[in-house]
Amino acid sequence: MRDLAGGFGYLLAGQRWVLRHGRWLGFGLLPGLVSLVLYAGALIGLGYGADDLTAWATPFADDWSSPWLGFFRGFLTALVFCLGLFLAVITFTAVTLLVGQPFYESLSEQVDRTEGGEVPESGLTLAQELWISARDSLRILGRVLLFGILLFGLGFVPVIGQTVVPVLGFCVSGFFLAQELTSVALMRRRVQLTEQLALLRGRRMLALGFGVPLVVSFLVPLVAVFLMPGAVAGATLMARDLVGEGAGAEQDQTEGPGQEQGQGQGPTPGQGQGQAQGKRLSA
């Protein structure tokens, strides 16, 4: 429960950080606005063309009598649009991060700078960073779709499908959203995707406390645009904790000065796995 609250605390801390640094808030809004315009145009186009797409895909129903033809194709049209909306929600963050890679890199570096210490650098060119970001986003999207298909099937199970499955869906989305956002800071620390996932699995409740509230708020695209800069800032603070650089890790190291050495308080999961930062990204 401590990590769950801690993850939400990082989300709030990120929003406070961008509010205190207003210039970076405006700077971080630009990629989200660009993505919002692109997605709005795509969804409007889908709304106008979904019925034609449905008619083209179901020629066998042309001879059906009314009202069955209208009911059948109307249901399929609504299903196509809902699927497009679902894909828009789960891909919005990845596309926004890809579009705004230079913006969010600068914002994340500034957060590191204000927290003190050296600002890590990946040593990669912008083209390499964009390629790795796109590649990793596709790999994460594949995982999300697999979970989505599984949860969709479980959704038809009575009671469980209407109670447990939606909660699991938000948790899965929140975990991978936390990965997408922390990847900005972790890539600069040369932590590969597999190591990023390992770090987050080691602090699963921290990731859920950060990601699930964002998933709920990101259901409204306009809200997502305004929260993205603070989400990147908060994810950078959380990434510092995951690799043992943050204030939370330092507190764990200094906690309990009266404890005997023999009692052996081990390192936090984020500290123990912080060695991953020495591993280079494969371009």
Side-chain angles (χ1 to χ4, degrees):
M1 292 301 294
R2 176 185 174 186
D3 265 358
L4 189 67
F8 186 64
Y10 279 124
L11 177 59
L12 295 180
Q15 303 303 323
R16 288 196 297 267
W17 189 94
V18 294
L19 289 176
R20 289 198 306 267
H21 303 79
R23 181 173 70 90
W24 289 97
L25 173 61
F27 187 72
L29 286 176
L30 294 176
L33 291 173
V34 171
S35 296
L36 181 63
V37 171
L38 293 175
Y39 273 89
L43 288 175
I44 290 172
L46 180 62
Y48 277 107
D51 52 350
D52 293 332
L53 177 63
T54 302
W56 171 81
T58 57
F60 57 86
D62 288 342
D63 298 329
W64 289 13
S65 60
S66 180
W68 305 114
L69 177 61
F71 284 154
F72 176 67
R73 285 185 171 166
F75 171 76
L76 289 182
T77 298
L79 188 62
V80 167
F81 187 80
C82 288
L83 179 60
L85 189 60
F86 171 73
L87 289 175
V89 170
I90 66 174
T91 61
F92 181 84
T93 301
V95 171
T96 302
L97 288 174
L98 186 61
V99 171
Q101 182 79 13
F103 294 86
Y104 295 134
E105 282 285 348
S106 298
L107 192 155
S108 180
E109 289 175 4
Q110 184 63 24
V111 173
D112 272 328
R113 194 169 290 113
T114 59
E115 291 300 303
E118 296 183 0
V119 177
E121 295 183 2
S122 66
L124 302 173
T125 66
L126 177 59
Q128 289 175 317
E129 289 180 349
L130 290 175
W131 161 248
I132 292 171
S133 179
R135 182 197 63 188
D136 289 351
S137 293
L138 287 176
R139 293 166 67 183
I140 291 298
L141 179 60
R143 287 174 166 86
V144 171
L145 289 177
L146 286 176
F147 276 108
I149 292 170
L150 176 62
L151 292 174
F152 179 77
L154 292 175
F156 292 99
V157 178
V159 182
I160 294 177
Q162 292 73 48
T163 54
V164 177
V165 170
V167 174
L168 289 177
F170 277 109
C171 290
V172 169
S173 300
F175 179 86
F176 286 114
L177 179 59
Q179 184 280 324
E180 288 277 4
L181 290 166
T182 53
S183 67
V184 177
L186 292 176
M187 276 180 61
R188 289 190 293 105
R189 289 163 169 81
R190 304 175 183 179
V191 182
Q192 301 182 41
L193 176 61
T194 53
E195 297 298 333
Q196 294 175 23
L197 293 172
L199 284 172
L200 289 170
R201 282 195 294 267
R203 304 286 297 276
R204 187 174 284 108
M205 298 306 291
L206 187 74
L208 293 180
F210 183 87
V212 171
L214 272 178
V215 170
V216 176
S217 61
F218 277 19
L219 292 175
V220 183
L222 191 60
V223 174
V225 171
F226 285 97
L227 291 184
M228 271 298 290
V232 172
T236 301
L237 296 172
M238 189 167 75
R240 292 173 57 86
D241 185 0
L242 290 171
V243 299
E245 298 175 9
E250 293 171 3
Q251 181 181 359
D252 288 339
Q253 288 179 334
T254 57
E255 246 180 8
Q259 294 177 348
E260 294 183 9
Q261 189 175 9
Q263 291 178 345
Q265 286 284 355
T268 65
Q271 293 169 329
Q273 299 185 36
Q275 302 297 329
Q277 63 180 317
K279 298 190 177 183
R280 287 188 173 273
L281 288 163
S282 56

